[in-house]
Amino acid sequence: METFVRVVETGSFSEAARQLRVGQPAISKTIAQLEERLGIKLLLRSTRGLTPTEAGESFYERAKRSIEEADEADYAARGAGASLSGRLRVSAAPTFASLHVIPHLPKFQAQHPNLDMEIVLDDGHIDLIEEGIDISLRMGALSDSNLTAREIGESPRLVVTAPSYLERAGEPRIPGELISHESIIYAKGSGRDVWMFRKDSSEVSVTLRGRVRISAAEGVRAAVLAGMGLAVASEWMFAPELASGHVKAVLDDWALAPIDLWAVFPAGRSVSAKARAFAAFVEEQLANLDLSKPS
């Protein structure tokens, strides 16, 4: 059933084989045996790929629920402290995952030694069903209201820069002074030029100006660390450098809108115990994050 579900969701034997880490002939044989046992045609093969028949669609929906319910039953029977097993496929932005997820994976794996993990690092919002993703970690506003999601963290946004830039250009004291500074613009996702600063009852809108626009968070980090200018970024993005003093936050008496982290799950299916456990684990790691400033 799991093989059939993967084939339907990916639309091909080869992609299902890749996700299940078996050879394509094994996938073809399994589907053929399933159709023979049921005595019905489950899939239609055409130049456009594989699509389920009406009977195949019905079998797919029930098979998917059965697999999820079996996983849940197994986990519940062994108790809340039981180890998870099987495979968990996670997607996340490369910079965030490198700083705040991957370093903590040994702890999660120690808790669940029978669980295999695949981490897909991608700054874009990939198709969870097509890629076989169990849980995706996404930041900012969710563009698709049909997604199954839970907020698991929130980070302040800061204006950050390297001390070397401040030595050269001086430190802005009010948001309006940012206009005369070089800014590094994060030109993807939630990146934008205009920011609203708030302090008590005051609000100030500022349009950042800069000669450098970068489409990936790791590039923004590199540019800030090189002393190229100021950037608006989440506290998460520069957590190690803020703690060490290699990056400094300015205008910290003014507030910017925070950025949210969401655990996003494939629509149309119940959330697995594995995905829920991983979301709770990431939430716990972020809650314990120490961003204290250097003495």
Side-chain angles (χ1 to χ4, degrees):
M1 285 196 296
E2 184 177 3
T3 298
F4 177 72
V5 166
R6 294 282 176 164
V7 169
V8 171
E9 292 182 344
T10 61
S12 75
F13 287 159
S14 59
E15 182 59 24
R18 184 182 71 82
Q19 292 187 12
L20 293 171
R21 293 183 292 182
V22 298
Q24 184 172 330
I27 299 293
S28 301
K29 182 178 180 180
T30 298
I31 297 303
Q33 290 174 336
L34 182 61
E35 290 180 325
E36 181 179 359
R37 181 173 67 83
L38 296 174
I40 54 174
K41 199 73 171 173
L42 295 173
L43 295 170
L44 295 174
R45 299 157 179 81
S46 69
T47 55
R48 294 178 297 174
L50 297 169
T51 56
T53 62
E54 183 177 350
E57 186 66 39
S58 177
F59 183 77
Y60 163 75
E61 294 296 338
R62 287 166 172 77
K64 184 171 65 173
R65 287 199 298 271
S66 295
I67 293 168
E68 292 165 351
E69 288 170 0
D71 286 344
E72 291 289 327
D74 182 70
Y75 187 61
R78 288 181 286 126
S83 172
L84 297 165
S85 61
R87 189 193 69 153
L88 180 68
R89 192 167 165 86
V90 179
S91 73
T95 299
F96 177 80
S98 297
L99 291 173
H100 302 299
V101 178
I102 294 174
H104 300 292
L105 286 184
K107 180 179 178 182
F108 187 72
Q109 289 183 308
Q111 295 172 358
H112 307 287
N114 297 317
L115 182 67
D116 293 333
M117 298 191 67
E118 294 184 23
I119 312 297
V120 179
L121 299 181
D122 196 308
D123 269 323
H125 288 177
I126 62 178
D127 188 305
L128 304 189
I129 297 293
E130 185 176 320
E131 293 295 326
I133 301 297
D134 299 297
I135 174 174
S136 178
L137 303 177
R138 295 184 179 178
M139 281 178 281
L142 298 179
S143 56
D144 187 348
S145 60
N146 293 320
L147 291 171
T148 302
R150 181 170 73 83
E151 184 180 347
I152 61 172
E154 180 184 272
S155 173
R157 279 190 175 98
L158 308 172
V159 181
V160 297
T161 190
S164 60
Y165 175 80
L166 296 177
E167 291 172 6
R168 183 174 76 252
E171 182 174 341
R173 299 298 176 182
I174 58 173
E177 292 181 4
L178 292 174
I179 297 173
S180 62
H181 282 265
E182 280 293 326
S183 296
I184 301 156
I185 310 296
Y186 184 22
K188 189 173 183 179
S190 60
R192 55 184 184 268
D193 300 349
V194 182
W195 292 94
M196 181 66 71
F197 290 80
R198 294 180 174 84
K199 181 180 180 182
D200 300 326
S201 59
S202 301
E203 290 189 350
V204 178
S205 177
V206 176
T207 300
L208 300 182
R209 297 176 181 175
R211 293 177 294 167
V212 179
R213 303 178 69 86
I214 301 177
S215 63
E218 196 57 39
V220 174
R221 278 176 49 82
V224 168
L225 293 173
M228 295 175 64
L230 300 148
V232 174
S234 73
E235 194 172 34
W236 288 328
M237 189 187 293
F238 289 93
E241 293 79 16
L242 287 165
S244 68
H246 287 95
V247 165
K248 181 180 179 181
V250 299
L251 299 174
D252 50 10
D253 54 343
W254 289 81
L256 290 158
I259 188 167
D260 299 323
L261 177 70
W262 300 86
V264 181
F265 311 97
R269 64 168 70 169
S270 59
V271 179
S272 69
K274 289 174 283 193
R276 284 192 282 105
F278 187 72
F281 177 78
V282 173
E283 185 174 19
E284 179 185 2
Q285 302 315 304
L286 292 177
N288 294 333
L289 188 62
D290 182 8
L291 292 174
S292 58
K293 293 180 173 58
S295 57

